[in-house]
Amino acid sequence: GAGAAGAETKGKKLSKKERRAQARGARLPAGQSAGPAGLLVELDLALTAHANARNYYDRKRVVAQKQQKTVDASKHALKNAERKTMQALKENATAARITRARKPYWFEKYYWCISSENYLIIGGRDRQQNDVIIRRLLRKGDLYVHADIHGASSVVIKNPSGLPVPPRTLAEAGAMAVVYSSAWEAKVFTSAWWVYHDQVSKTAPSGEYLTTGSSMIRGKKNFLPPAPLVLGFGLLYKVDDSCIGFHIHERRAKQTEEESAGPAEAEAADVAGDESDESDDSTPPAS
């Protein structure tokens, strides 16, 4: 390269600056060729040819390693992005399937529960819902339950059959009314009461005014035992129509043994109880 450059510049004296630039491997001035190879190589004149070659091979190896690391990092980032995308798609598909699983029931907009004896109990979440429950959803045969404290939800036991509501369902509705009242925040131990549907009215006496969610109770209030401030939750499963026959009467009204037994069995139980009382009186206490 030096000979070719010298041949081309023969007869023309180069300046000291141009000769120094050629020695450093810089670009030649315009109009001058870099030689047959067309590549300028920067050499360290303080090193041998083998040492300069080794430096270039070392640089090439470092650059190749960096390039490989960049490629590997790009592949790893691409795989992570694909994995996250697939996971997001699966989650969205699962959420969509859960959303399409069933249509919410009309009572799920309110506080609600199914009693141990298969009665639907609903309660208002605010004054507007209390008003809607009293005006539209309280029907013949239903029972109205309210906590004996100001600022409570209006609770209704739906009873389309019109038969007497069992005590256990009344107690559960009373506990629900107490929990969804100001007694929960104040931690006040109180009870609830219930009345029939025709005792509840939205008509105020003359000269008075009923606010939203309020009502007038006419007649006797039937008080329930004090309810603890305990709230739980459970999971309800909707069975297929073909399986309904296997679950009939699973949540029917609970009865005592004397109520479920016939008159003969009840009388036999009373006689057995009297005999056991007499035997207990004649038996000396154990030491």
Side-chain angles (χ1 to χ4, degrees):
E8 290 182 5
T9 58
K10 187 176 181 180
K12 181 180 179 181
K13 186 177 180 180
L14 297 176
S15 65
K16 185 177 180 181
K17 184 176 181 181
E18 291 175 342
R19 290 197 301 271
R20 188 180 302 168
Q22 289 183 2
R24 292 198 307 268
R27 289 182 177 275
L28 295 176
Q32 295 186 12
S33 174
L39 179 64
L40 292 178
V41 179
E42 183 179 354
L43 300 177
D44 190 348
L45 299 179
L47 301 177
T48 63
H50 292 287
N52 279 285
R54 185 173 62 250
N55 286 342
Y56 273 100
Y57 279 115
D58 291 342
R59 293 180 187 178
K60 177 184 177 183
R61 184 175 61 254
V62 172
V63 172
Q65 291 176 354
K66 290 182 178 179
Q67 182 180 6
Q68 186 62 35
K69 289 182 179 179
T70 303
V71 172
D72 294 341
S74 301
K75 291 181 179 179
H76 184 67
L78 184 60
K79 289 182 179 179
N80 287 340
E82 290 178 353
R83 180 173 52 82
K84 291 181 180 180
T85 302
M86 295 301 297
Q87 182 67 23
L89 290 175
K90 290 181 180 179
E91 291 177 356
N92 292 335
T94 302
R97 285 197 298 270
I98 293 176
T99 303
R100 294 194 301 265
R102 67 175 182 85
K103 182 180 179 181
Y105 291 101
W106 63 268
F107 52 80
E108 292 188 62
K109 66 176 69 175
Y110 309 101
Y111 292 132
W112 67 277
C113 72
I114 304 296
S115 73
S116 301
E117 295 157 331
N118 213 31
Y119 284 84
L120 173 62
I121 305 174
I122 59 175
R125 295 179 180 268
D126 50 34
R127 293 184 178 181
Q128 286 72 22
Q129 286 195 353
N130 287 342
D131 200 63
V132 171
I133 288 176
I134 296 173
R135 290 182 182 274
R136 301 181 183 179
L137 302 179
L138 182 61
R139 299 179 180 177
K140 184 177 180 180
D142 297 343
L143 299 184
Y144 179 82
V145 185
H146 197 278
D148 193 27
I149 190 173
H150 182 71
S153 174
S154 292
V155 177
V156 170
I157 303 175
K158 301 299 293 181
N159 183 27
S161 65
L163 299 176
V165 177
R168 184 170 183 176
T169 296
L170 287 172
E172 292 175 357
M176 178 177 172
V178 171
V179 166
Y180 292 129
S181 70
S182 57
W184 179 271
E185 294 292 338
K187 297 180 175 59
V188 176
F189 191 67
T190 185
S191 60
W193 45 264
W194 65 271
V195 294
Y196 295 100
H197 73 282
D198 53 1
Q199 295 181 245
V200 185
S201 174
K202 292 294 294 183
T203 304
S206 58
E208 296 185 10
Y209 171 74
L210 288 178
T211 59
T212 303
S214 301
S215 60
M216 289 293 300
I217 305 299
R218 295 181 171 85
K220 177 185 176 183
K221 297 179 181 178
N222 304 282
F223 281 86
L224 298 169
L229 296 176
V230 178
L231 181 64
F233 71 94
L235 297 177
L236 289 178
Y237 295 91
K238 183 178 179 181
V239 299
D240 190 72
D241 293 341
S242 60
C243 302
I244 294 179
F246 300 104
H247 302 277
I248 296 178
H249 302 311
E250 282 188 353
R251 300 172 63 87
R252 59 184 176 182
K254 306 297 186 298
Q255 296 179 345
T256 62
E257 294 182 358
E258 293 185 359
E259 292 176 346
S260 59
E265 290 83 352
E267 184 178 356
D270 294 338
V271 173
D274 295 340
E275 293 179 354
S276 61
D277 293 340
E278 294 177 358
S279 61
D280 291 340
D281 294 339
S282 60
T283 304
S287 56

